[in-house]
Amino acid sequence: MTPLISRSGAGRKGLVSLICGALATGGITAASVAALEPGAASASSHREAPLISGTPQYDNTDLYAFVSPDKPDTTTIVSDYIPFEEPAGGPNFYQFADDAQYDIHIDNNGDALDDLIFRYTFHTQIKNKKTFLYNTGVVDNLTDPDLNVTQSYDIDLIKLKKGKEQYKTKVADDIPAAPSDVGKASMPDYAKLRSQAIYKTSNGGATFAGQADDPFFADLRVFDLLYGGNLSEVGRDTLKGYNVNTIALQVPNSLIRQSASRPTVGIYATTQRRNAQGYYAQVSRLGNPLVNEVVNPQKDKDKFNASQPKDDAQFLKNVTNPELPKLIEAIYHIKAPSEPRNDLVSVFLTGVKGLNTEQPEATPSEMLRLNTSIKPTAKPKRLGVLDGDNAGFPNGRRLTDDVIDEALQVVEGELVGSKNDLGDAVDKNDKGFEKYFPYVAEPTSGSRGALAKAAGSSTKSALGDALTSSDSSSNTTLIAGSAAAGAAGVLLIGTAFGWWRRRMQRPY
């Protein structure tokens, strides 16, 4: 594909950028696009609604679901939170909320009601509350006493019938989450910390929670008067260098689908926040990418985040009469496809016939739909189904899928005979993805350059000498100054100790 150029003529030059940006932030047909192409990306739901934009700990940024490339008898689900994490954003680094329920929902019969819920709940531990430091020295492992702030989590599997809870099983208990990557001095071997946070469950499953590179790739400068007002700002991955908090879950296909003959499942994620009265209220929801950005208008965004798939008929007009093609026609004089957009309805609300329609029912509802019987390919195509790769979006979402380009092409009628080659000139993530669970790339470190010359044993000795001084106030000043300068990877007190215990209770 030629970046920023449509194969249907030079008159569409730059449209790629406009649509892509609009989709990445607030257009309309991304939902259907998602159903047409490999779902992959991650900034598709960053700060997408007024209320949730003010509470990033509860904000779903992206949801991915794909048959595991190295374990095709399992499905991997990746749900991301906390958009635009600045890697060096201390001293309070990025944590999951203790007063939240992070849920992954499964509908395996197409009735738009939950059949399974995997619920993650987190607990924060602080060893030394008398210091401002996230870590008080070099962190070598997840049980290191120098890791001052830690999180652990539980997973409950809730089984339902017709949307009503039948029973709950503890899948995992007190599992350590990977910390934020403070920097090279504090965490010289972050890969080791991440590997320790991968927990194997029974029946070949796995779980991970912690910081990761944001896998979404797109140019979001559409907010600056549509790429500068003259398309002068295009073709740069504006999410490069930012992190997210990731929950990744790998489960056997046999656990989540009805049967081998009914292999398609619907998947979506929600966050519930506990209020002052102790009750939980849903504040964020995400299935297909870009839906609440570009499908729903301002008046429906907060409502969608609090809604359930069974009630999605209230948003139908947003899909059948989308706003984005009208904007493109007004600005670029490219005729919008005829309405109602039934092509978008099939991929957005019911699944694509012959690909991932749910059985035995197909109640219209917005969620990712994954046919677990379609095997992964060794060479994924970034445009997924649009490029003949049925293992990609809308058959779930893969990390490598180019959701923006897919959305642009579908919104302009790719499914109804209006062939085009639109895109935003950002075709892949700035970091490569991993070949094994949890697949997402490691987070960008808080350290962006080489360590200071004084870092290492000499720094540790200097700090140690300073701590023996009788002037405690000057000690604090020295330590804080060293941390700010980037020379302190091993700083102050190593008090207390923490350990996590892992155990399984009736897994799956």
Side-chain angles (χ1 to χ4, degrees), residues 19-46:
I19 307 176
C20 169
L23 287 173
T25 61
I28 335 184
T29 43
S32 57
V33 174
L36 284 178
E37 313 171 345
S42 51
S44 64
S45 186
H46 298 43

Side-chain angles (χ1 to χ4, degrees), residues 306-343:
S307 67
Q308 298 180 26
K310 66 181 180 63
D311 300 319
D312 281 349
Q314 63 184 314
F315 306 116
L316 179 60
K317 189 175 181 180
N318 299 340
V319 179
T320 58
N321 303 90
E323 176 187 2
L324 184 57
K326 299 180 180 69
L327 297 177
I328 294 171
E329 181 173 359
I331 297 172
Y332 290 97
H333 310 294
I334 299 173
K335 186 173 177 57
S338 300
E339 296 178 349
R341 294 296 299 274
N342 293 323
D343 58 317

Side-chain angles (χ1 to χ4, degrees), residues 38-311:
S42 51
S44 64
S45 186
H46 298 43
R47 298 177 55 80
E48 87 290 351
L51 289 179
I52 199 62
S53 64
T55 53
Q57 278 185 299
Y58 313 90
D59 188 2
N60 297 87
T61 64
D62 278 279
L63 178 67
Y64 308 85
F66 49 90
V67 176
S68 308
D70 58 320
K71 297 181 67 176
D73 60 336
T74 68
T75 288
T76 295
I77 302 168
V78 176
S79 188
D80 291 336
Y81 305 84
I82 312 180
F84 303 109
E85 292 183 1
E86 163 56 47
N92 294 301
F93 287 90
Y94 305 97
Q95 300 170 203
F96 293 97
D98 287 355
D99 62 346
Q101 297 170 334
Y102 298 95
D103 287 357
I104 295 171
H105 304 254
I106 308 293
D107 169 20
N108 60 25
N109 60 9
D111 63 358
L113 298 173
D114 295 340
D115 295 296
L116 299 172
I117 297 175
F118 293 92
R119 174 164 293 163
Y120 282 68
T121 52
F122 289 82
H123 320 281
T124 302
Q125 303 86 27
I126 303 176
K127 298 181 178 70
N128 180 9
K129 295 184 178 181
K130 294 182 179 181
T131 177
F132 62 83
L133 294 168
Y134 185 75
N135 58 291
T136 57
V138 175
V139 178
D140 294 320
N141 57 73
L142 292 185
T143 60
D144 196 319
D146 286 328
L147 184 54
N148 192 42
V149 181
T150 63
Q151 285 199 301
S152 59
Y153 63 93
D154 301 339
I155 308 175
D156 291 307
L157 173 58
I158 303 169
K159 294 196 174 184
L160 307 94
K161 185 175 182 179
K162 294 296 183 183
K164 302 294 184 181
E165 181 177 334
Q166 301 297 299
Y167 64 88
K168 181 188 298 184
T169 303
K170 181 73 69 176
V171 172
D173 181 34
D174 211 16
I175 308 302
S180 294
D181 189 349
V182 174
K184 298 173 184 176
S186 292
M187 299 174 179
D189 190 357
Y190 190 83
K192 177 182 176 182
L193 302 180
R194 162 178 275 207
S195 67
Q196 291 176 346
I198 298 173
Y199 180 67
K200 302 293 185 181
T201 62
S202 66
N203 297 332
T207 179
F208 168 84
Q211 194 177 49
D213 172 70
D214 189 337
F216 187 67
F217 46 97
D219 194 330
L220 299 180
R221 290 177 292 174
V222 64
F223 296 113
D224 185 14
L225 294 179
L226 299 181
Y227 296 104
N230 58 0
L231 299 175
S232 60
E233 298 182 357
V234 295
R236 190 177 77 186
D237 183 0
T238 45
L239 290 156
K240 178 180 179 180
Y242 289 107
N243 299 323
V244 291
N245 272 26
T246 289
I247 288 174
L249 176 66
Q250 191 170 76
V251 292
N253 294 332
S254 58
L255 173 65
I256 60 174
R257 67 189 184 192
Q258 274 205 332
S259 65
S261 62
R262 292 178 176 175
T264 296
V265 295
I267 302 171
Y268 69 104
T270 63
T271 309
Q272 289 76 238
R273 184 179 186 181
R274 188 172 61 237
N275 61 25
Q277 288 74 40
Y279 300 103
Y280 285 91
Q282 182 178 309
V283 295
S284 184
R285 171 187 165 189
L286 184 60
N288 283 294
L290 304 169
V291 171
N292 218 18
E293 281 80 4
V294 303
V295 176
N296 293 323
Q298 285 285 343
K299 67 181 182 64
D300 287 338
K301 291 181 181 296
D302 291 331
K303 183 189 301 184
F304 179 83
N305 268 338
S307 67
Q308 298 180 26
K310 66 181 180 63
D311 300 319

Side-chain angles (χ1 to χ4, degrees), residues 36-38 381-390 393 406:
L36 284 178
E37 313 171 345
K381 297 180 179 180
R382 67 182 182 88
L383 295 181
V385 173
L386 286 184
D387 199 16
D389 180 3
N390 286 344
F393 195 74
E406 295 174 296

Side-chain angles (χ1 to χ4, degrees), residues 1-21 23 29 33 37 231 324-325 328-329 332 334-337 341 382-383 386 402-414 418-427:
M1 187 197 97
T2 303
L4 301 176
I5 302 294
S6 165
R7 65 171 172 249
S8 36
R12 294 195 181 185
K13 182 177 181 179
L15 174 58
V16 177
S17 310
L18 170 63
I19 307 176
C20 169
L23 287 173
T29 43
V33 174
E37 313 171 345
L231 299 175
L324 184 57
I328 294 171
E329 181 173 359
Y332 290 97
I334 299 173
K335 186 173 177 57
R341 294 296 299 274
R382 67 182 182 88
L383 295 181
L386 286 184
D402 193 343
V403 170
I404 293 299
D405 285 11
E406 295 174 296
L408 293 176
Q409 294 176 26
V410 171
V411 74
E412 282 305 292
E414 182 75 24
S418 181
K419 300 297 182 181
N420 62 85
D421 193 22
L422 301 177
D424 68 342
V426 180
D427 295 342

Side-chain angles (χ1 to χ4, degrees), residues 340-395:
R341 294 296 299 274
N342 293 323
D343 58 317
L344 303 184
V345 172
S346 63
V347 295
F348 175 36
L349 298 175
T350 61
V352 178
K353 186 176 182 180
L355 178 68
N356 62 347
T357 52
E358 293 181 81
Q359 302 295 330
E361 302 179 59
T363 302
S365 56
E366 197 288 299
M367 59 182 75
L368 281 178
R369 289 178 171 82
L370 176 66
N371 185 336
T372 60
S373 69
I374 296 179
K375 301 300 182 184
T377 176
K379 296 182 179 181
K381 297 180 179 180
R382 67 182 182 88
L383 295 181
V385 173
L386 286 184
D387 199 16
D389 180 3
N390 286 344
F393 195 74
N395 188 35

